[in-house]
């Protein structure tokens, strides 16, 4: 097609200076593991200051404690006591859901919040046990050891799983591997949480109906079969109590949502139901009429449990697997909740610090008779609405729980199990976020099906199956996205030098004799073959269109590479092969706006020389101008040749 040497307005695209391999690798690793540049605060600081800054980084309470005021304490005192009123009944309820003694739920709201107050970076996160992790513990470890036949061994496995969850979480934070949690997309979490909430609600029919024997399976079919196969054992007394308490809890939530100032009504409702239920059972002796109660709870603070960690157990691998799964779920929920409330108050929380804090509090918790704790949304919302100002509210909550453990546990003897089931169901209904699912359907159908897959996997299979389905579909989506990147035809916006997608901009016009294509992703081994075939198809389709429309034939193919951030050797080979195919058809290939990384690879592979420096342009506009210049020049030459031929004939 000729050369662009006569096109004087062209500005050349430079090849950036090459960096040594080790420097490039160092920069890449830094961007991967240290995107927040945590070491910038240590630059140009004396050794003593570096030590203090390092201590403040790993123990944030050292940084903010000197500036803490009495006004902050008054707000944190109210918030802490308010959250404690929710933490006590929730702790007992969720421990029952995890198939472990209820007292462990109270233990888990004492030591972990104290550690998080020192190590965590969120001012608003309330630490405590979480429903989904409790369900996972029950379903995954219940298959290994029966909590009714071997309760002591079951508790040991729970502590061991909590220990490995803490080790896993802390390791992610220390090794700066927090981006792994990002693979749990919003759609995945919505579906998984919704499925878990559905199963938990149906499982609580055991407590509502006063059933003694119940299935250990978590799928909906098994749960409903267990419920309806025992119709003759349903207790109407328990069912009436359960429905009344559930109605009360839902009513208080409704009023709290109607007016934010009434948040305390919803916060106090669980404790109120526990007190009312206990008084009712005590005064009417309902436990003698089929209403099951918690029974004796030991007084005193957390006993040490380091010796109970079952490292030599034959079920160790199950405990490790459970620990990793609940560790990921705890991190995903806790960090998401922390970031949500941090946005409301316009401050930042460090994801890696949070992982270290979560890990350390769960390691310490496993040695002090606690099971997995994270940052549940319900407690955090109550704490936030109560006016919490700092992590001191977690210390206040832990102190209130300590007071309960020392003096008040005998008062829970008559607490009916049906109350705990009502509290769990009320909490679970808040996790059924159907509005989020509808939003996913409207915005991105693929995300909706990821959400639906996770939900159905949990409800019809198990929590593990639901999690595997959700992660697998999410990874499949990533693979499809990178393996099948978008390519689009660009056209000219009238009266401008702007070129945009002709699908998006209906007013964009194609340029006669020129096909402009944009690649919208990095080019590497996974998509190089597809891109070669797709670009070739664009060329065939454009030639057929021009031929059928009777327009000028195609002469130039311009690739807009502005969105191609990187390219590997497979991508380079693809470009070389594409260039040969284009030349074989009598066309010319032009490149527009190749990025730094691509120019380096083009230069090292000598592909610049094969394409020709004159065919590489800074913008699409310049590439089009060069093509038009060449087309007009060729046309003028053809006209002159034709005139000379006519004159010679004459």
């Amino acid at each position: 097609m000729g050369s662009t040497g006569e096109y004087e307005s062209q500005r050349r695209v430079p090849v950036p200076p090459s960096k040594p391999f080790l420097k490039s690798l160092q920069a890449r690793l830094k961007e991967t593991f240290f995107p927040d540049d945590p070491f910038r605060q240590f630059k140009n600081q004396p050794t003593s200051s570096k030590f203090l800054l390092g201590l403040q980084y790993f123990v944030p309470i050292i940084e903010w404690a000197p500036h803490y005021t009495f006004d902050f304490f008054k707000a944190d005192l109210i918030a802490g006591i308010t959250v404690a009123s929710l933490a006590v009944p929730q702790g007992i309820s969720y421990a029952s859901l995890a198939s472990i003694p209820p007292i462990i739920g109270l233990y888990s709201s004492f030591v972990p919040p104290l550690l998080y107050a020192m190590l965590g970076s969120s001012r608003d996160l309330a630490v405590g046990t979480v429903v989904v992790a409790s369900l996972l513990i029950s379903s995954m470890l219940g298959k290994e050891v029966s909590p009714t036949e071997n309760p002591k061994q079951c508790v040991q496995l729970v502590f061991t799983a909590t220990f490995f969850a803490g080790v896993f979480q802390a390791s992610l934070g220390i090794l700066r591997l927090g981006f792994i949690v990002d693979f749990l997309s919003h759609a995945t979490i919505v579906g998984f949480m919704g499925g878990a909430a559905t199963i938990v609600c149906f499982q609580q029919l055991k407590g509502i109906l006063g059933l003694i024997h119940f299935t250990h399976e978590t799928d909906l079919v098994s749960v409903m079969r267990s419920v309806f196969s025992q119709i003759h054992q349903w207790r109407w007394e328990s069912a009436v109590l359960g429905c009344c308490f559930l109605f009360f809890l839902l009513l208080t939530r409704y009023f709290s949502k109607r007016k934010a100032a009434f948040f305390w009504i919803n916060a106090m409702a669980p404790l109120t139901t526990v007190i009312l239920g206990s008084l009712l059972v005590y005064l009417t002796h309902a436990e003698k009429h089929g209403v099951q109660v918690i029974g004796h709870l030991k007084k005193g603070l957390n006993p040490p449990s380091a010796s109970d960690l079952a490292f030599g157990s034959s079920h160790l691998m199950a405990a490790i697997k459970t620990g990793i799964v609940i560790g990921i779920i705890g991190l995903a929920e806790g960090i998401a909740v922390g970031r949500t409330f941090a946005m409301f108050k316009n401050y930042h929380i460090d994801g890696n610090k949070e992982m270290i804090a979560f890990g350390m509090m769960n390691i310490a918790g496993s040695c002090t008779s606690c099971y997995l704790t994270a940052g549940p949304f319900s407690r955090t919302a109550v704490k936030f609405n109560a006016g919490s100002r700092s992590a001191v509210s977690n210390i206040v909550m832990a102190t209130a729980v300590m007071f309960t453990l020392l003096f008040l546990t005998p008062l829970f003897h008559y607490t009916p199990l049906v109350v705990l089931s009502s509290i769990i169901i009320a909490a679970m209904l808040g996790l059924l976020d159907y509005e989020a699912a509808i939003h996913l359907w409207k915005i991105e159908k693929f995300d909706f099906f990821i959400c639906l897959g996770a939900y159905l996997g949990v409800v019809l299979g198990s929590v593990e199956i639901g999690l595997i389905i959700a992660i697998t579909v999410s990874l499949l989506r990533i693979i499809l996205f990178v393996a099948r990147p978008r390519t689009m035809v660009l056209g000219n916006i009238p009266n401008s030098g702007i070129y945009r997608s002709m699908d998006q901009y209906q007013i964009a016009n194609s340029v006669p004799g020129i096909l402009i294509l944009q690649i919208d992703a990095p080019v590497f081994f996974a998509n190089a073959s597809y891109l070669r075939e797709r670009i070739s198809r664009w060329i065939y389709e454009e030639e057929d269109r021009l031929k059928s429309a009777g327009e000028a034939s195609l002469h130039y193919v311009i690739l807009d590479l502005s969105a191609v951030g990187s390219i590997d050797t497979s991508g380079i080979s693809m470009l070389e092969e594409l260039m040969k195919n284009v030349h074989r058809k009598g066309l010319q290939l032009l490149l527009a706006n190749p990025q730094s990384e691509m120019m380096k690879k083009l230069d090292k592979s000598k592909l610049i020389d094969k394409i020709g420096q004159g065919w590489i342009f800074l913008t699409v506009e310049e590439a089009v101008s060069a093509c038009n210049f060449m087309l007009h020049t060729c046309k003028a030459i053809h006209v002159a040749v034709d005139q000379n031929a006519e004159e010679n004939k004459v």
Side-chain angles (χ1 to χ4, degrees):
M1 294 299 299
S3 169
T4 58
E6 298 175 22
Y7 182 69
E8 297 178 359
S9 65
Q10 178 192 350
R11 292 169 291 186
R12 293 203 166 201
V13 180
V15 178
S18 61
K19 291 181 181 178
F21 172 73
L22 289 178
K23 272 197 171 182
S24 299
L25 181 63
Q26 182 182 7
R28 187 71 59 84
L29 291 174
K30 183 180 178 183
E31 285 303 312
T32 302
F33 296 106
F34 302 98
D36 55 341
D37 192 15
F39 302 114
R40 66 185 182 279
Q41 59 183 330
F42 297 101
K43 293 176 182 175
N44 305 318
Q45 295 286 344
T47 305
S48 57
S49 297
K50 286 181 180 178
F51 176 76
L52 181 60
L53 288 170
L55 207 57
Q56 289 176 348
Y57 180 81
F58 288 106
V59 189
I61 194 172
I62 298 174
E63 181 180 0
W64 56 261
H67 312 292
Y68 193 73
T69 64
F70 184 68
D71 287 336
F72 279 22
F73 177 71
K74 287 191 291 184
D76 286 333
L77 181 65
I78 295 171
I81 293 173
T82 304
V83 176
S85 69
L86 180 64
V88 171
Q90 273 192 352
I92 295 172
S93 303
Y94 295 172
S96 300
L97 181 61
S99 302
I100 54 179
I103 192 67
I104 295 177
L106 290 182
Y107 291 156
S108 301
S109 294
F110 175 46
V111 172
L114 294 176
L115 273 171
Y116 183 83
M118 294 186 286
L119 302 176
S121 61
S122 172
R123 304 172 200 162
D124 299 291
L125 198 71
V127 173
T129 53
V130 288
V131 174
V132 177
S134 302
L135 176 63
L136 281 165
I137 287 170
S138 176
S139 63
M140 295 180 75
L141 295 181
K143 296 175 182 177
E144 303 293 325
V145 177
S146 171
T148 52
E149 296 175 7
N150 298 294
K152 184 176 180 181
Q153 189 179 8
C154 180
V155 169
Q156 289 175 341
L157 283 181
V158 169
F159 291 155
T160 308
T162 302
F163 174 82
F164 283 109
V167 170
F168 178 71
Q169 291 172 331
S171 300
L172 287 182
I174 293 169
L175 298 175
R176 313 286 294 182
L177 295 174
F179 59 85
I180 291 176
V181 180
D182 295 335
F183 282 99
L184 286 175
S185 65
H186 173 65
T188 301
I189 293 173
V190 169
F192 181 77
M193 292 292 190
T198 302
I199 286 299
V200 169
C201 285
F202 281 108
Q203 282 189 328
Q204 296 317 300
L205 291 175
K206 173 190 176 184
I208 295 290
L209 299 173
L211 300 176
I212 298 174
H213 303 291
F214 207 72
T215 180
H216 294 296
E217 299 297 325
T218 57
D219 63 284
L220 183 62
V221 175
S222 298
V223 170
M224 297 312 295
R225 185 186 294 123
S226 183
V227 169
F228 286 103
S229 64
Q230 303 182 72
I231 293 179
H232 59 286
Q233 295 183 19
W234 290 6
R235 307 292 304 192
W236 68 266
E237 302 94 337
S238 182
V240 170
L241 274 178
C243 291
C244 291
F245 286 129
L246 182 59
F247 176 75
F248 172 73
L249 290 167
L250 295 178
L251 191 65
T252 57
R253 176 183 293 175
Y254 173 77
F255 280 116
S256 296
K257 285 186 175 180
R258 288 290 297 269
K259 197 167 184 179
F262 291 155
F263 76 92
W264 56 271
I265 296 177
N266 189 38
M268 297 296 292
L271 186 60
T272 304
T273 57
V274 168
I275 294 171
L276 291 175
S278 301
L279 284 173
L280 187 63
V281 170
Y282 177 75
L283 295 174
T284 62
H285 302 289
E287 76 276 13
K288 297 178 181 178
H289 300 281
V291 177
Q292 301 173 54
V293 297
I294 289 177
H296 175 68
L297 288 180
K298 291 188 297 183
K299 286 174 64 175
L301 299 181
N302 302 31
S305 57
S307 59
D308 291 329
L309 298 178
F311 296 128
S313 170
S314 58
H315 305 292
L316 180 62
M317 289 310 298
I320 294 174
K321 183 177 78 169
T322 304
I324 291 173
V325 172
I326 63 177
I328 292 175
I329 295 298
L331 282 180
E333 181 177 358
I335 293 176
V337 170
R339 285 176 176 166
T340 300
F341 286 95
M343 283 193 296
F344 291 145
K345 292 187 178 179
N346 196 27
Y347 70 92
H348 172 73
I349 67 170
D350 187 323
N352 288 294
K353 276 189 194 178
E354 290 295 284
M355 291 177 184
I356 294 172
F358 277 40
M360 296 308 295
M361 73 181 186
N362 281 315
I363 291 172
S366 68
C367 298
T368 52
S369 299
C370 306
Y371 80 106
L372 187 113
T373 50
F377 180 83
S378 56
R379 290 194 204 183
T380 305
V382 167
K383 183 170 176 260
F384 180 85
N385 289 325
S388 167
R389 302 295 293 272
S390 74
V392 169
S393 52
N394 275 316
I395 298 175
V396 174
M397 180 193 75
T399 304
V401 172
M402 177 191 73
F403 183 81
T404 302
L405 286 167
L406 287 173
F407 304 108
L408 303 180
T409 49
L411 299 180
F412 294 101
H413 181 280
Y414 291 100
T415 301
L417 296 183
V418 67
V419 167
L420 304 185
S421 296
S422 302
I423 292 171
I424 291 174
I425 291 174
M428 288 303 90
L429 292 177
L431 292 179
L432 288 168
D433 197 352
Y434 64 91
E435 291 180 351
I438 294 171
H439 183 70
L440 290 173
W441 173 258
K442 291 179 179 177
I443 302 299
E444 175 58 68
K445 301 293 190 293
F446 203 100
D447 276 346
F448 173 80
F449 286 112
I450 290 175
C451 173
L452 185 63
Y455 179 85
L456 293 177
V458 173
V459 171
L460 301 178
S462 66
V463 284
E464 302 101 302
I465 291 173
L467 194 59
I468 290 169
I469 289 174
I471 293 175
T472 302
V473 176
S474 296
L475 291 176
L476 180 62
R477 184 186 182 187
I478 294 172
I479 292 170
L480 288 175
F481 178 78
V482 297
R484 295 293 183 267
R486 290 188 305 163
T487 57
M488 61 198 82
V489 177
L490 304 185
N492 177 243
I493 304 296
N495 303 316
S496 75
I498 300 171
Y499 293 83
R500 291 292 183 267
S501 168
M502 295 182 68
D503 282 338
Q504 182 180 1
Y505 294 86
Q506 301 299 317
I507 60 171
N509 300 317
S510 59
V511 183
I514 305 170
L515 175 63
I516 309 168
L517 299 174
Q518 185 179 62
I519 300 174
D520 200 23
V523 181
F524 61 112
F525 68 92
N527 59 26
S529 179
Y530 165 77
L531 285 172
R532 180 186 63 249
E533 294 169 1
R534 188 67 186 95
I535 293 170
S536 297
R537 198 160 86 244
W538 278 123
I539 296 172
Y540 294 141
E541 290 171 356
E542 181 67 8
E543 287 180 327
D544 291 342
R545 186 188 70 82
L546 293 174
K547 190 174 181 180
S548 61
E551 298 180 14
S553 60
L554 186 63
H555 295 283
Y556 296 97
V557 178
I558 300 173
L559 290 185
D560 180 6
L561 304 173
S562 55
V564 181
S566 61
I567 188 170
D568 69 355
T569 52
S570 297
I572 294 293
S573 299
M574 181 275 291
L575 281 179
E576 187 171 3
E577 190 174 341
L578 179 66
M579 180 195 69
K580 291 176 181 177
N581 291 340
V582 168
H583 287 176
R584 202 176 295 125
K585 296 173 70 66
L587 308 177
Q588 177 61 53
L589 180 67
L590 293 83
L591 306 182
N593 195 21
Q595 301 299 305
S596 172
E597 189 70 21
M598 175 167 276
M599 284 303 291
K600 287 180 187 177
K601 301 285 178 62
L602 291 175
D603 181 56
K604 290 178 180 177
S605 64
K606 307 298 181 185
L607 193 55
I608 288 181
D609 298 332
K610 295 177 183 177
I611 295 175
Q613 179 72 55
W615 298 111
I616 302 176
F617 295 86
L618 192 63
T619 64
V620 173
E621 182 184 8
E622 286 193 355
V624 172
S625 298
C627 293
N628 284 331
F629 175 82
M630 291 299 298
L631 285 171
H632 292 149
T633 302
C634 291
K635 187 176 181 181
I637 292 172
H638 286 309
V639 170
V641 169
D642 290 341
Q643 287 177 347
N644 288 335
E646 289 294 328
E647 290 173 0
N648 290 335
K649 284 182 182 179
V650 173

